[in-house]
C-alpha cells in the first residue's frame, strides 16, 4: 500500500461540526454525528483519500477547558494528544456563533503547540454568509477559511490545501495481514479498560458511567511480528427500546466493527456471571462470522469460580469458544489472551488439505450411520474447503435433503474437534453431486 501523506487532527469547541467535517472529508459516515453537543469523546482515526493521495484524519472530542468534570478533562487530553501527533491541525469554529471564550482557549493551546493550523469557519451554508468568517482573524491563526461541512461547500479547496501542506512519508494504512479484533460487550464490562491495558496507555477514555464509548475506535498494536487492529466499541444493549438517539448510532458502529473483524472478544463481567445480554453479544459475533474468544473481565474482583462458569459457557454458546480470565487493573491474563487471539486467527485463516479432509469424512462414515428416509440413505461422497477467513466447506452428497439437523450439528462438532476450530465460525454446505 502507498505511504500516507501525514496526519491531520480536527479540533475545536463542542458542537462546531468536527465529526460532520470528518465524515465529509472521508466521504463516509464513520464518525457518530448528533445534534447533542459532546457526542465525540475518544479520538477516532480515519483515512481520507483525495485524488489518489491518502492521509490519516483524526476526529477529536470538543475541548471545553472551563468544564471541570473528569470526563471533559479526559476528552481535552485526548484532543491534546491528537494535536501533538499531527502534522497539520484543522481548527473548526462556528461562523454563526462568532468567537466564543472556548474558541479563544483552543486557539491559545494551538499557538503553544507550534503546529501548522488551518482555521475553518464552519456552518457557512450560504455564500452570502462568508463575511461571518472574517471575525476569526482576531484569533491570530491566519486567514479563516469559510466551509460548510454539512453541504460540502469549500471542502474541495480545503482538501487541496491539506494535501499540499502535508510532508509525506508516513507509514501506509494497516494491510490485510493485520489481525482485526473487535472488543464487544454490554455497557460497563471493562472494554475500554482492557484496550488501555493492552496498549499500556490511556488510548480511550475510561469512566464508571456506562456508555462513555460511543464510536468504534480503531487502534493499531504490534506484538512481536504480529500486527493487531483493536477496535473498542460502544456497549450493546439487549432491548431495542433502550437504544435511542446517540446510543442507537453507537451500537450500529459496534455491529459494523464486528462485521469487519476476524476475532471478536466477548467481554463478560465475571463479578456478575453470565447474563442474557452476554449471550446476545456472543450471538452478534457469531452472525458477523467472527472467531470468538470469551474474556472473563474484572477477574480481580470476582467471587465466581471458573468451574461454575465453564459448563454454562459450553452449554449456551454454539461456537464453543475458548475463554480466558483477565484483569485490566492488574494486567493478569493479558498475554494469555493475546496468545489465544493469535491462535484463533491462525485457525480462522487456515486451510485443511483436501486429502486430510476426505480421510476425516471417511472416518465419519464409519463412526455413525448416516440418516435415511424412504429407503434412501445419505452418502458422503467428497469434501473440500472452498474459502478461508473464516473457513467454509463443501460436502458433495447424493441427496442434500437427507441431511437432518441433528446430523448436520454432529458433523460440524466433529469437524471442530478434529481441526481445533472451537470458537471459529464454520460453514458447511451439503450439495448434490453434479
Amino acid at each position: 500500500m502507498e505511504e500516507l501523506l501525514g496526519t491531520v487532527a480536527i479540533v475545536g469547541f463542542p458542537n462546531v461540526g468536527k465529526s460532520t467535517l470528518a465524515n465529509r472529508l472521508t466521504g463516509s459516515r464513520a464518525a457518530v454525528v448528533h445534534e447533542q453537543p459532546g457526542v465525540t469523546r475518544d479520538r477516532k482515526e480515519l483515512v481520507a483519500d483525495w485524488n489518489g493521495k491518502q492521509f490519516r484524519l483524526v476526529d477529536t472530542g470538543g475541548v471545553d477547558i472551563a468544564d471541570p468534570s473528569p470526563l471533559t478533562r479526559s476528552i481535552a487530553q485526548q484532543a491534546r494528544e491528537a494535536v501533538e501527533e499531527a502534522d497539520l491541525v484543522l481548527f473548526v469554529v462556528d461562523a454563526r456563533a462568532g468567537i466564543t471564550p472556548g474558541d479563544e482557549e483552543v486557539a491559545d493551546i494551538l499557538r503553544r503547540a507550534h503546529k501548522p493550523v488551518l482555521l475553518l469557519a464552519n456552518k457557512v451554508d450560504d455564500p452570502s454568509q462568508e463575511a461571518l468568517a472574517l471575525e476569526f482573524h482576531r484569533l491570530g491563526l491566519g486567514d479563516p477559511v469559510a466551509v460548510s461541512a454539512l453541504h460540502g461547500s469549500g471542502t474541495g479547496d480545503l482538501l487541496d490545501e491539506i494535501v499540499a501542506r502535508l510532508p509525506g512519508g508516513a507509514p501506509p494504512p494497516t494491510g490485510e495481514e493485520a489481525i482485526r479484533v473487535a472488543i464487544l460487550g454490554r455497557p460497563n464490562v471493562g472494554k475500554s479498560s482492557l484496550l488501555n491495558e493492552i496498549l499500556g496507555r490511556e488510548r480511550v477514555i475510561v469512566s464508571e458511567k456506562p456508555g462513555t464509548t460511543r464510536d468504534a475506535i480503531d487502534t493499531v498494536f504490534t506484538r512481536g511480528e504480529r500486527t493487531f487492529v483493536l477496535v473498542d466499541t460502544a456497549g450493546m444493549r439487549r432491548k431495542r427500546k433502550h437504544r435511542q438517539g446517540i446510543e442507537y448510532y453507537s451500537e450500529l458502529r459496534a455491529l459494523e466493527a464486528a462485521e469487519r473483524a476476524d476475532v471478536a472478544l466477548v467481554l463478560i463481567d465475571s463479578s456478575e456471571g453470565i447474563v442474557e445480554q452476554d449471550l446476545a453479544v456472543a450471538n452478534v459475533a457469531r452472525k458477523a462470522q467472527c472467531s470468538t474468544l470469551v474474556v472473563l473481565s474484572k477477574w480481580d474482583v470476582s467471587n465466581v469460580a471458573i468451574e461454575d462458569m465453564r459448563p454454562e459457557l459450553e452449554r449456551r454458546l454454539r461456537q464453543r469458544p475458548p475463554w480466558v480470565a483477565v484483569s485490566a487493573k492488574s494486567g493478569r491474563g493479558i498475554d494469555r489472551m493475546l496468545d489465544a487471539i493469535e491462535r484463533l486467527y491462525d485457525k480462522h485463516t487456515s486451510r485443511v488439505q483436501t486429502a486430510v479432509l476426505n480421510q476425516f469424512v471417511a472416518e465419519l462414515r464409519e463412526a455413525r450411520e448416516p440418516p435415511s428416509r424412504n429407503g434412501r440413505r445419505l452418502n458422503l461422497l467428497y469434501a473440500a474447503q472452498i474459502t478461508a477467513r473464516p473457513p467454509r466447506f463443501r460436502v458433495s452428497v447424493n441427496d442434500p435433503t437427507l441431511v437432518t439437523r441433528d446430523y448436520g450439528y454432529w458433523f460440524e462438532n466433529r469437524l471442530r474437534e478434529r481441526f481445533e476450530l472451537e470458537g471459529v465460525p464454520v460453514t458447511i454446505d451439503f450439495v448434490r453431486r453434479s
Side-chain angles (χ1 to χ4, degrees):
M1 300 182 69
E2 291 186 9
E3 292 180 338
L4 297 176
L5 294 178
T7 300
V8 179
I10 303 177
V11 301
F13 200 67
N15 212 33
V16 294
K18 297 181 297 299
S19 295
T20 303
L21 181 65
N23 287 342
R24 173 67 62 178
L25 297 183
T26 57
S28 72
R29 290 186 293 177
V32 175
V33 175
H34 196 271
E35 61 188 13
Q36 177 183 326
V39 171
T40 304
R41 292 172 172 175
D42 298 293
R43 61 190 193 272
K44 182 175 180 65
E45 297 185 2
L46 308 165
V47 174
D49 186 303
W50 183 242
N51 293 331
K53 295 181 179 179
Q54 295 185 328
F55 58 91
R56 183 175 290 108
L57 187 68
V58 184
D59 185 25
T60 67
V63 178
D64 185 357
I65 298 172
D67 187 339
S69 71
L71 180 58
T72 303
R73 290 185 179 278
S74 295
I75 292 169
Q77 181 58 32
Q78 290 277 321
R80 286 191 182 95
E81 291 179 13
V83 169
E84 193 174 308
E85 296 169 3
D87 300 297
L88 176 66
V89 178
L90 305 183
F91 176 22
V92 184
V93 294
D94 185 339
R96 294 181 299 194
I99 294 177
T100 67
D103 294 331
E104 292 174 337
E105 291 166 351
V106 177
D108 184 59
I109 291 172
L110 294 179
R111 282 193 294 269
R112 295 171 187 271
H114 302 293
K115 292 281 186 174
V117 176
L118 279 174
L119 176 58
L120 307 182
N122 190 29
K123 304 187 182 181
V124 179
D125 300 330
D126 189 301
S128 64
Q129 300 173 336
E130 289 187 3
L132 295 175
L134 299 178
E135 177 187 356
F136 294 91
H137 275 107
R138 191 153 55 85
L139 293 175
L141 291 170
D143 294 334
V145 179
V147 299
S148 171
L150 183 62
H151 300 295
S153 59
T155 54
D157 291 340
L158 172 60
L159 284 162
D160 285 337
E161 183 70 17
I162 291 171
V163 167
R165 288 205 184 198
L166 290 175
T174 307
E176 287 298 310
E177 76 286 351
I179 305 172
R180 300 184 182 275
V181 182
I183 305 175
L184 307 178
R186 54 193 172 90
N188 218 30
V189 293
K191 299 181 294 297
S192 297
S193 296
L194 178 65
L195 175 59
N196 288 339
E197 180 61 29
I198 293 171
L199 300 175
R201 59 188 174 91
E202 189 170 325
R203 171 60 182 86
V204 289
I205 297 169
V206 175
S207 171
E208 292 182 359
K209 181 181 178 182
T212 300
T213 301
R214 288 172 168 172
D215 266 310
I217 308 299
D218 291 25
T219 305
V220 178
F221 169 69
T222 302
R223 181 184 189 237
E225 297 182 356
R226 307 301 281 271
T227 299
F228 299 75
V229 177
L230 305 172
V231 189
D232 186 23
T233 66
M236 294 183 176
R237 300 180 184 275
R238 178 170 171 78
K239 295 186 178 178
R240 188 169 297 277
K241 67 181 180 181
H242 292 161
R243 306 170 190 164
Q244 299 176 358
I246 296 167
E247 289 178 350
Y248 171 77
Y249 293 106
S250 297
E251 185 154 327
L252 282 183
R253 300 301 193 278
L255 295 173
E256 291 168 359
E259 287 171 359
R260 58 190 172 90
D262 299 302
V263 177
L265 305 184
V266 174
L267 264 66
I268 295 175
D269 186 339
S270 59
S271 66
E272 298 181 11
I274 303 171
V275 300
E276 287 299 318
Q277 206 168 332
D278 297 325
L279 302 177
V281 173
N283 198 42
V284 166
R286 182 183 65 81
K287 288 182 177 179
Q289 292 284 282
C290 296
S291 288
T292 304
L293 176 66
V294 172
V295 178
L296 304 176
S297 67
K298 303 184 183 181
W299 199 249
D300 52 314
V301 295
S302 174
N303 295 317
V304 180
I306 285 287
E307 292 72 23
D308 297 331
M309 298 190 74
R310 190 201 310 268
E312 193 76 353
L313 290 170
E314 293 177 351
R315 181 176 68 86
R316 305 187 74 175
L317 298 181
R318 178 180 162 187
Q319 285 184 201
R320 300 188 176 182
W323 53 266
V324 61
V326 304
S327 166
K329 189 173 183 179
S330 68
R332 172 187 170 186
I334 298 295
D335 282 334
R336 287 198 306 276
M337 181 189 72
L338 293 170
D339 289 340
I341 292 171
E342 291 184 8
R343 288 194 299 272
L344 260 182
Y345 175 77
D346 289 341
K347 291 297 182 182
H348 187 84
T349 58
S350 66
R351 283 189 173 273
V352 179
Q353 292 181 355
T354 301
V356 174
L357 186 60
N358 280 285
Q359 176 60 40
F360 162 74
V361 169
E363 293 171 7
L364 290 190
R365 282 196 295 261
E366 297 297 321
R368 174 176 172 176
E369 187 173 69
S372 63
R373 187 175 66 248
N374 298 330
R376 280 178 58 81
R377 186 169 301 283
L378 176 70
N379 189 9
L380 306 177
L381 302 170
Y382 179 81
Q385 182 175 351
I386 53 176
T387 61
R389 200 172 185 175
R392 187 179 192 118
F393 300 89
R394 178 183 291 145
V395 182
S396 296
V397 298
N398 59 331
D399 184 355
T401 65
L402 296 174
V403 180
T404 62
R405 182 182 179 88
D406 175 67
Y407 189 81
Y409 279 140
W410 177 79
F411 188 103
E412 178 184 328
N413 289 336
R414 300 292 81 73
L415 185 73
R416 288 186 188 281
E417 291 171 4
R418 168 61 67 86
F419 300 109
E420 299 178 343
L421 295 173
E422 287 82 2
V424 178
V426 171
T427 302
I428 304 171
D429 301 318
F430 292 96
V431 300
R432 189 182 300 275
R433 177 177 54 186
S434 56

